[in-house]
Amino acid sequence: MKYLLSVFLGAVSYGILSTIVVTAYGKGYDLGEVVGSQLLTGFLLSWALALWTKYRQGRLAKANPAAAAAIASQEQKLTWKHRLILMAAGTPTAITGLVYYHSLRYIPASLAIILLFQITWIGVLIQAISQRKRPNGIMVLTLAVLFGGTLLAAGILEQGASKFNMLGIMFGLLAAVSYSMFILFSGKAVPAANPVYRSAWMLTGGLTLVFILFPPAFLFNGVIWGDLLLIGFMLGLFGAFIPPLLFAVGVPHIGESMSSILGASELPVAVALSSIVLHEYVSPLQWTGVVLVLIGVALPELYKLRKQSGSGSVLSS
């Protein structure tokens, strides 16, 4: 139960971000300040955890050398080549933050999160192209449900496409593409390394890219000592630190299928907060669309679980 709760809370943490970002824009902060302060907080927290982990491993090595050696043998030691690979793999998460948060300047937070959730069909498309393999029947059904749910949830059927800012929609879809690339690259980047160190180096890569694109003037002109300090801390805590840590704890125990289903809880949380905190109107038809999107996300995973349980029962008989 605690591992299920861990993944669920990690996804809920992601759902809080869009509301905080819109609040930051309302206080006059710009994109570079918002994303920069978020990744800087995540960077500091991740490296604090990495140093604490290294300290604990050192104490364990002194107290119980055999146990420490056994743990070390299961983890891949990081060379500078590995560190550079992890830093490169972390850049898509910075790009995702930049384009996703930029979309919030043009479209409601409830629509931005729905566009971000197009990662499901974008991921299928990337996989189909890279493996030169057509999607199977369950994937086609999933895409149909997702497409219908998106039309409802976005309010396109009620208001018409002309009511929405196309630039914001473009940035929202770009966020889904970059998020899909992050999932693709992060899973393959030095997977045998300790997740604490992996996360720290990936955040280092993301922070480096953001500071190159948006030099951190807020660190020197006094802006950081205003509301940005709390906003950046909250974004870093809920966006860059807590979710990866909770996923690292829960996913290995409950599996990727159940993790994907629980991960979708980010969507209703983000839509609910945009309605309650930001006072964005979300109609009953849009909530129906949100439910359909959640069903679409869960369909392939439920199909896999059913297939596995079916094959297991056949083997046992």
Side-chain angles (χ1 to χ4, degrees), residues 138 257-258 261 294-309:
I138 190 66
S257 296
M258 185 57 70
I261 295 170
L294 292 174
I295 291 171
V297 170
L299 262 178
E301 309 305 335
L302 292 173
Y303 176 75
K304 267 193 253 179
L305 291 171
R306 185 179 176 185
K307 204 172 178 182
Q308 288 169 2
S309 63

Side-chain angles (χ1 to χ4, degrees), residues 175-263:
V177 173
S178 62
Y179 195 23
S180 299
M181 300 303 289
F182 169 69
I183 293 170
L184 179 67
F185 293 141
S186 65
K188 296 179 179 179
V190 202
N194 187 309
V196 172
Y197 301 134
R198 287 181 80 248
S199 178
W201 281 108
M202 289 170 77
L203 274 168
T204 301
L207 180 67
T208 302
L209 176 64
V210 169
F211 277 3
I212 290 172
L213 296 174
F214 298 91
F218 65 88
L219 291 176
F220 310 104
N221 60 13
V223 172
I224 188 66
W225 302 115
D227 291 333
L228 185 62
L229 185 65
L230 177 59
I231 289 169
F233 177 76
M234 291 177 67
L235 287 173
L237 186 66
F238 291 113
F241 182 70
I242 288 178
L245 188 62
L246 291 178
F247 288 155
V249 170
V251 173
H253 293 275
I254 67 174
E256 292 181 3
S257 296
M258 185 57 70
S259 298
S260 297
I261 295 170
L262 288 173

Side-chain angles (χ1 to χ4, degrees), residues 87-216:
M87 287 177 69
T91 55
T93 188
I95 295 170
T96 300
L98 288 171
V99 291
Y100 176 53
Y101 292 171
H102 193 52
S103 73
L104 292 169
R105 285 196 171 277
Y106 304 100
I107 56 177
S110 54
L111 174 57
I113 187 66
I114 290 161
L115 292 174
L116 183 64
F117 259 74
Q118 304 311 299
I119 57 171
T120 303
W121 67 264
I122 290 172
V124 170
L125 182 62
I126 291 172
Q127 195 173 28
I129 293 171
S130 62
Q131 298 180 0
R132 297 180 181 178
K133 186 179 178 182
R134 286 186 178 181
N136 57 22
I138 190 66
M139 271 302 168
V140 173
L141 175 61
T142 296
L143 296 180
V145 172
L146 279 170
F147 184 70
T150 300
L151 288 177
L152 290 173
I156 293 173
L157 295 181
E158 288 179 293
Q159 303 174 43
S162 60
K163 294 284 186 182
F164 298 101
N165 186 298
M166 296 310 296
L167 189 61
I169 289 175
M170 183 189 74
F171 278 115
L173 290 174
L174 278 175
V177 173
S178 62
Y179 195 23
S180 299
M181 300 303 289
F182 169 69
I183 293 170
L184 179 67
F185 293 141
S186 65
K188 296 179 179 179
V190 202
N194 187 309
V196 172
Y197 301 134
R198 287 181 80 248
S199 178
W201 281 108
M202 289 170 77
L203 274 168
T204 301
L207 180 67
T208 302
L209 176 64
V210 169
F211 277 3
I212 290 172
L213 296 174
F214 298 91

Side-chain angles (χ1 to χ4, degrees), residues 71-95:
I71 293 172
S73 66
Q74 297 173 0
E75 298 176 356
Q76 186 169 355
K77 191 174 181 181
L78 291 177
T79 63
W80 271 106
K81 180 181 177 181
H82 292 145
R83 293 180 182 117
L84 290 173
I85 289 171
L86 287 169
M87 287 177 69
T91 55
T93 188
I95 295 170

